[in-house]
């Protein structure tokens, strides 16, 4: 991937605003990976395009994954109840909900 990135023509300059401390910390991490800021950002952009998505989990993704896990647990519990015979008749449900 990094080799592919090096072959792309760098024909546009982009400017962005960020937090100084965040930038400094990120640069140190990139340096440990032998990346400068330009290559690191280009790697992020390439991966984003390649995956047609942000190449990491966002908080929204993590929340969605948590809800899916909870839903699966509830479905399993319901399935286990049915298998074990822990069910209610239609009449019992109607009476309970006043239908």
């Amino acid at each position: 991937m990094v080799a592919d990135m090096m072959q792309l023509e760098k024909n546009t300059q982009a400017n962005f605003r960020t937090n100084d401390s965040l930038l400094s910390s990120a640069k140190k991490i990139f340096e440990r990976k032998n990346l400068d800021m330009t290559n690191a950002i280009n790697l992020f952009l390439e991966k984003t395009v390649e995956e047609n998505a942000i190449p990491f989990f966002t908080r929204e993704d993590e929340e969605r994954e948590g809800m899916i896990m909870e839903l699966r647990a509830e479905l399993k519990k319901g399935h286990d109840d049915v298998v074990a015979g822990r069910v209610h008749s239609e009449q019992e449900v109607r009476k309970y909900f006043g239908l």
Side-chain angles (χ1 to χ4, degrees):
M1 175 58 82
V2 174
D4 293 341
M5 178 179 57
M6 297 297 191
Q7 295 173 8
L8 290 176
E9 179 185 4
K10 310 292 189 296
N11 57 10
T12 299
Q13 183 172 341
N15 297 309
F16 63 95
R17 297 187 62 78
T18 190
N19 176 275
D20 184 55
S21 177
L22 178 66
L23 183 64
S24 178
S25 296
K27 282 182 178 179
K28 290 175 186 173
I29 294 166
F30 297 151
E31 286 172 6
R32 289 196 305 261
K33 297 290 187 178
N34 295 319
L35 293 169
D36 61 19
M37 185 60 64
T38 297
N39 287 334
I41 291 174
N42 279 314
L43 183 60
F44 167 76
L45 294 173
E46 272 194 5
K47 198 71 171 160
T48 299
V49 170
E50 179 183 304
E51 295 182 11
N52 196 31
I54 297 174
F56 50 80
F57 277 104
T58 62
R59 280 193 191 107
E60 182 180 283
D61 295 330
E62 290 172 356
E63 289 172 6
R64 184 181 312 112
E65 191 67 26
M67 287 187 279
I68 289 170
M69 289 175 64
E70 288 176 21
L71 178 59
R72 285 183 178 152
E74 285 295 318
L75 288 169
K76 182 178 180 344
K77 181 182 172 203
H79 178 265
D80 292 346
D81 285 344
V82 169
V83 169
R86 294 184 298 263
V87 295
H88 299 281
S89 70
E90 178 184 351
Q91 292 164 338
E92 291 171 317
V93 173
R94 285 183 178 277
K95 182 178 178 182
Y96 180 81
F97 288 105
L99 301 174

